């Protein structure tokens, strides 16, 4: 088989799944971090994942763009299967945006350079076009006036909004968020959540690891509760919060909602 | 819009107070704060008094600048006259006298290229081409044999042009090679990693002198019969290979200082390995290690003087040879102070530039 060929997943017609994970397992050494994960995400769907610390939430979404490697089962993103094939991986990473807890902006580049890097080098856009797009998205996250500063000169909330804009510049089909507000000072959480809510209103497919229950209630189509590497329960936000089924979910909710 | 994104105006504050202190107070604070420091100050002042005036007397007041050796011997001061009398030999070695303009031009070209490359705005692809063209022109000037230039065999090259070329091209070659080795040492591919580690550890385990010997004696054994390789090129190769191993370890340190998040952010944008390294990781890592890198480059510059052991005439060796002339025997301090100054000016320029670069890149 041609090792460079992109492996595609069988896709039944009429289905609009953008992510499909089946029977996925992952171990860190002996630690079974993800245990038989099955999950589908439809286009335009917004999912919030919550669960106790160490339950594998980060690992799960990091597997979706191959920042972590899964060892069993299949992950399909936009019809492409994630295998060891570098071409597959890079293709998927182009379509999947990721926002990290600690922003991870490139400190040696200005804000606008941070944003235009991907479009220029990965999407092969001309510099001018990439910068126009960067300005468009900076404007969207209300931070256009900071375009020529360096990340270190911005507040945490501003940096996280830049990080979101940086991902958007790649025009991803899915956005992954790993606790995007948990490293922020409380007064900055809202400005980031507002940006995410805007994004949701525009129909972006989003998977968000977060304990911001207000955000989950107002934006999510589904809330998934994870514990010990398993998807324990999933439901609409209303059902999830008012009528949790599992003991572990009840315990977790009672802890974070007091 | 949230309140936090609206620009707020800071109320006008007070200016920080400016504190002035007098000379006496400055001295008390900096030179005489405590018994030990006062003692130290006194001792240092005494030493300076013992050393500086006699040196000034010798070097400037009683000195000779344009005399003959006999006149020097009659007086008691420094005989700087040895420098102008032997300058062209010290600078150009055994290069044919009437052709000295050629290495001179080559040197000018090299220095011009260096000065041009100092400016970060010039760091474009065209700079690489300028260096390649410059290298060819320099080689032509030195070697001749075409364009009506008399051929000069490379065993007649020497002096400052040789020192400068060995060190500049040594650095220019060693830096990228060192970066590749550092990346290789952190590679996920076991073969590349092993080769890099072996290379780095082997090279660091032998002194430069032995590398130079090997380049002169051992290297030709591996070449096919009849193929000879210029001795200077072989020494150049040895210097590059040697310095690269040290650069590699320094760069590796810089790479280790970059957090995993930077790699992950670059990867999640879809950058491939080369782009990730070139655009995101290396610019940060190399910046962190500017000071130790310059340290290595400076010592590489000074280490080029070791090429004397394979009978190359670098600037230190030509100076020494000038002193062998019976006429000027006995004036070695003056001559060594002069080459010392040449080395110092070059090294100081490097460290000065590195400091400026660091400041410029500091964001
Ligand atoms: N690179 C790694 N090597 C070894 N173990 C790891 C690694 N990354 C995570 N783990 C372990 O895997 C488990 C799941 O980690 P993960 O980061 O996915 O949890 P999480 O649900 O995101 O937790 P948190 O809410 O604290 O972020 C934890 O026990 C963690 O210690
Ligand atoms: Mg996590």
């Amino acid at each position: 088989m041609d090792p460079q060929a992109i492996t595609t997943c069988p896709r039944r017609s009429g289905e609009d799944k953008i992510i499909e994970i089946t029977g996925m397992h992952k171990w860190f050494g002996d630690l079974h971090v993800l245990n038989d994960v099955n999950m589908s995400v439809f286009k335009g769907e917004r999912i919030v994942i919550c669960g106790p610390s160490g339950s594998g939430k980060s690992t799960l979404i990091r597997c979706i763009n191959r920042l972590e490697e899964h060892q069993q089962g299949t992950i399909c993103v936009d019809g492409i299967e994630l295998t060891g094939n570098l071409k597959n991986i890079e293709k998927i990473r182009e379509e999947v945006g990721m926002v990290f807890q600690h922003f991870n902006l490139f400190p040696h580049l200005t804000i606008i350079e941070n944003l235009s890097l991907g479009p220029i080098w990965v999407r092969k856009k001309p510099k001018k076009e990439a910068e126009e797009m960067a300005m468009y998205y900076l404007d969207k996250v209300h931070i256009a006036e900071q375009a020529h500063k360096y990340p270190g000169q911005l507040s945490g909330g501003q940096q996280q909004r830049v990080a979101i804009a940086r991902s958007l510049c790649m025009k991803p089909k899915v956005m992954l968020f790993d606790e995007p507000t948990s490293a922020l000072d409380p007064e900055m959480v809202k400005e980031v959540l507002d940006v995410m809510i805007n994004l949701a209103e525009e129909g972006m497919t989003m998977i968000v690891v977060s304990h911001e229950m207000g955000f989950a209630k107002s934006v999510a189509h589904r809330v998934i509760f994870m514990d010990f590497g398993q998807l324990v329960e999933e439901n609409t936000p209303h059902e999830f919060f008012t009528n949790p089924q599992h003991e572990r979910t009840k315990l977790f909710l009672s802890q974070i909602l007091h | 819009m949230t309140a936090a994104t609206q620009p707020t105006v800071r109320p006008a504050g007070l200016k920080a107070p400016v504190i002035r202190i007098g000379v006496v107070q400055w001295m008390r604070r900096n030179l005489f704060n405590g018994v030990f420091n006062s003692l130290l100050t006194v001792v240092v002042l005494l030493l300076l008094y013992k050393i500086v005036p006699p040196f000034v007397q010798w070097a400037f007041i009683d000195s000779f600048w344009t005399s003959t050796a006999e006149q020097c011997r009659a007086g008691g001061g420094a005989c700087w006259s040895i420098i102008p009398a032997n300058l062209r030999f010290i600078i150009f070695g055994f290069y044919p006298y009437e052709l000295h303009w050629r290495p001179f031009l080559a040197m000018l070209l090299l220095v011009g290229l260096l000065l041009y490359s100092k400016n970060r705005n010039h760091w474009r692809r065209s700079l690489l081409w300028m260096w390649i063209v410059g290298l060819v022109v320099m080689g032509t000037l030195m070697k001749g044999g075409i364009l009506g230039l008399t051929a000069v065999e490379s065993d007649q090259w020497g002096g400052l042009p040789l020192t400068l070329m060995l060190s500049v091209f040594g650095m220019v070659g060693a830096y990228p090679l060192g970066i590749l080795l550092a990346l290789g040492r952190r590679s996920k591919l076991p073969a590349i990693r092993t080769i890099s580690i072996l290379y780095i550890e082997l090279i660091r385990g032998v002194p430069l002198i032995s590398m130079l010997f090997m380049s002169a004696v051992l290297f030709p054994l591996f070449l096919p019969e009849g193929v000879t390789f210029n001795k200077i090129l072989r020494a150049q190769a040895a210097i590059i290979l040697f310095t690269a191993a040290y650069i590699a370890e320094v760069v590796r340190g810089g790479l280790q200082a970059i957090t995993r998040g930077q790699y992950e952010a670059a990867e999640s944008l879809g950058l491939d390995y080369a782009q990730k390294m070139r655009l995101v990781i290396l610019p940060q890592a190399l910046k962190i290690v500017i000071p130790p890198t310059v340290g290595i480059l400076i010592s590489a510059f000074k280490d080029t003087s070791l090429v004397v052991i394979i009978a190359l005439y670098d600037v230190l060796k030509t100076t020494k040879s000038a002193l062998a002339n019976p006429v000027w025997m006995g004036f070695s301090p003056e001559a060594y102070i002069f080459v010392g100054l040449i080395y110092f000016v070059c090294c100081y320029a490097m460290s000065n530039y590195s400091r400026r670069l660091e400041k410029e890149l500091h964001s």
Side-chain angles (χ1 to χ4, degrees):
Chain A
M1 206 185 91
D2 176 10
Q4 291 299 308
I6 286 178
T7 340
T8 51
C9 303
R11 219 193 316 200
R12 271 154 295 187
S13 58
E15 268 188 358
D16 232 3
K17 282 179 190 165
I18 191 137
I19 295 175
E20 186 159 21
I21 301 174
T22 42
M24 194 251 280
H25 292 260
K26 164 146 193 79
W27 289 264
F28 279 121
D30 286 337
L31 186 66
H32 200 170
V33 213
L34 293 176
N35 185 351
D36 192 24
V37 172
N38 293 283
M39 168 179 171
S40 304
V41 181
F42 292 89
K43 277 206 178 104
E45 202 177 15
R46 298 184 291 275
I47 294 177
V48 167
I49 302 176
C50 60
S53 180
S55 56
K57 309 176 296 289
S58 299
T59 310
L60 171 59
I61 67 166
R62 287 159 60 83
C63 280
I64 295 175
N65 69 350
R66 237 328 144 106
L67 291 180
E68 301 289 355
E69 196 176 332
H70 64 282
Q71 283 127 354
Q72 241 180 57
T74 57
I75 303 178
C76 284
V77 181
D78 197 27
I80 305 169
E81 187 182 345
L82 259 181
T83 59
N85 185 334
L86 265 180
K87 279 271 170 298
N88 276 12
I89 296 172
E90 276 164 19
K91 188 95 187 60
I92 285 176
R93 283 175 177 164
E94 285 176 31
E95 308 302 337
V96 178
M98 176 115 185
V99 174
F100 301 86
Q101 184 176 7
H102 295 288
F103 334 135
N104 295 345
L105 295 177
F106 306 132
H108 62 300
L109 300 177
T110 59
I111 301 305
I112 191 160
E113 288 168 340
N114 263 279
L115 267 68
S116 55
L117 192 73
I120 290 175
W121 294 97
V122 180
R123 296 269 191 238
K124 312 287 182 208
K125 290 245 160 54
K127 186 162 179 243
K128 192 163 166 290
E129 193 181 320
E131 284 181 348
E132 278 166 9
M133 193 161 74
M135 285 313 293
Y136 170 79
Y137 283 108
L138 278 182
D139 199 43
K140 245 180 128 125
V141 299
H142 316 303
I143 211 162
E145 71 280 3
Q146 316 277 15
H148 296 284
K149 287 193 180 168
Y150 285 92
Q153 295 167 296
L154 304 190
S155 73
Q158 291 174 321
Q159 289 192 46
Q160 192 61 299
R161 285 184 280 148
V162 171
I164 294 175
R166 176 174 70 179
S167 287
L168 291 177
C169 277
M170 290 296 290
K171 299 215 190 302
K173 296 185 173 147
V174 187
M175 287 280 283
L176 309 174
F177 294 83
D178 190 1
E179 306 204 33
T181 56
S182 59
L184 297 176
D185 289 338
E187 76 268 21
M188 294 171 185
V189 169
K190 186 169 179 305
E191 65 190 60
V192 171
L193 288 182
D194 283 347
V195 165
M196 291 170 64
I197 290 170
N198 275 339
L199 205 55
E201 283 163 358
E202 289 172 10
M204 175 63 79
T205 312
M206 296 161 79
I207 304 180
V208 183
V209 174
S210 177
H211 293 164
E212 294 290 339
M213 290 307 144
F215 175 80
K217 276 178 198 160
S218 63
V219 172
H221 294 119
R222 268 190 290 161
V223 179
I224 295 178
F225 173 69
M226 274 186 83
D227 202 5
F228 298 114
Q230 290 171 311
L231 307 191
V232 175
E233 178 166 355
E234 65 168 87
N235 220 326
T236 60
H238 181 76
E239 281 294 304
F240 183 85
F241 290 113
T242 52
N243 188 18
Q245 300 297 311
H246 285 260
E247 281 313 311
R248 283 192 268 172
T249 319
K250 286 177 194 162
L251 182 67
F252 175 73
L253 285 177
S254 72
Q255 277 164 350
I256 62 165
L257 300 175
H258 308 295
Chain B
M1 264 300 276
T2 59
T5 57
Q6 242 132 39
T8 50
V9 182
R10 179 193 293 276
L14 292 175
K15 269 217 171 105
V18 182
I19 299 168
R20 288 181 191 284
I21 54 170
V23 177
V24 175
Q25 219 182 345
W26 181 89
M27 285 191 11
R28 186 169 296 156
R29 204 180 277 178
N30 292 292
L31 299 175
F32 299 100
N33 56 342
V35 178
F36 181 71
N37 274 352
S38 309
L39 222 89
L40 216 57
T41 304
V42 169
V43 169
V44 168
L45 282 178
L46 259 175
L47 270 176
L48 285 178
Y49 174 74
K50 281 274 179 213
I51 294 168
V52 175
F55 180 80
V56 170
Q57 181 84 22
W58 175 79
F60 300 107
I61 299 172
D62 294 344
S63 58
F64 299 86
W65 296 82
T66 50
S67 63
T68 61
E70 280 70 46
Q71 286 168 311
C72 279
R73 272 186 232 287
C79 184
W80 299 117
S81 320
I82 185 177
I83 311 294
N86 294 289
L87 186 62
R88 286 181 65 166
F89 182 75
I90 290 179
I91 301 289
F92 298 114
F94 292 112
Y95 206 90
Y97 193 83
E98 63 289 350
L99 299 178
H100 279 177
W101 60 274
R102 277 162 47 182
F104 183 70
L105 271 188
M107 245 185 343
L108 272 190
L109 181 60
L110 187 60
V111 172
L113 271 174
L114 283 175
L115 289 180
Y116 183 79
S117 312
K118 271 178 81 169
N119 189 333
R120 268 195 321 130
N121 297 329
H122 297 161
W123 293 2
R124 288 185 243 105
R125 193 169 291 263
S126 55
L127 190 63
L128 185 66
W129 287 110
M130 288 174 65
W131 272 95
I132 291 172
V133 172
L135 181 62
V136 172
V137 174
M138 274 181 255
T140 314
L141 276 170
M142 292 297 289
K143 200 163 171 52
I146 45 167
L147 302 174
L149 296 170
T150 325
V152 177
E153 279 314 308
S154 60
D155 44 10
Q156 287 175 291
W157 301 6
L160 192 56
L162 182 65
T163 296
L164 285 184
M165 282 182 200
L166 283 177
S167 42
V168 171
F169 291 109
M171 295 170 195
V172 170
Y175 194 60
L177 180 59
I179 292 173
L180 287 182
L181 284 167
L183 293 177
R185 190 162 186 169
R186 290 168 60 90
S187 167
K188 285 202 192 86
L189 306 173
I192 292 183
R193 192 172 55 236
T194 314
I195 291 173
S196 305
I197 293 177
L198 269 180
Y199 177 92
I200 294 170
E201 296 306 337
L202 270 179
I203 298 279
R204 293 203 310 163
V206 296
L208 177 57
I209 296 207
S210 65
M211 292 273 301
L212 288 169
F213 270 132
M214 277 192 264
S215 80
V217 184
L218 212 56
F219 203 36
L221 295 182
F222 298 120
L223 289 175
E225 196 94 25
V227 178
T228 53
F229 212 171
N230 180 318
K231 189 154 80 179
I232 295 180
L233 274 183
R234 277 182 274 143
Q236 181 78 80
I239 289 172
I240 291 177
L241 295 178
F242 184 81
T243 310
Y246 287 84
I247 300 269
E249 282 303 272
V250 165
V251 171
R252 188 165 71 100
L255 289 172
Q256 272 164 350
I258 308 299
T259 56
R260 221 174 96 183
Q262 291 290 310
Y263 288 87
E264 291 177 351
E267 281 163 15
S268 68
L269 282 178
L271 297 177
D272 63 30
Y273 178 82
Q275 292 169 334
K276 175 179 70 177
M277 285 301 169
R278 187 161 59 88
L279 301 168
V280 176
I281 306 300
L282 282 175
Q284 299 182 58
L286 295 182
K287 189 188 118 188
I288 304 174
V289 296
I290 286 177
T293 307
V294 171
I296 288 174
L297 294 183
I298 285 179
S299 61
F301 174 67
K302 291 180 294 184
D303 283 350
T304 56
S305 56
L306 291 173
V307 295
V308 301
I309 61 132
I310 55 169
L312 290 178
Y313 275 70
D314 78 312
V315 72
L316 191 59
K317 177 66 180 170
T318 53
T319 309
K320 231 176 136 195
S321 310
L323 289 169
N325 181 346
V327 180
W328 293 101
M329 219 148 359
F331 298 116
S332 44
E334 292 85 340
Y336 286 132
I337 287 177
F338 175 69
V339 264
L341 271 179
I342 294 182
Y343 277 104
F344 173 77
V345 166
C346 296
C347 294
Y348 184 75
M350 279 193 256
S351 78
N352 211 16
Y353 175 60
S354 85
R355 247 175 297 141
R356 228 190 54 197
L357 193 62
E358 238 182 303
K359 222 186 263 166
E360 261 178 45
L361 294 176
H362 188 82
S363 48

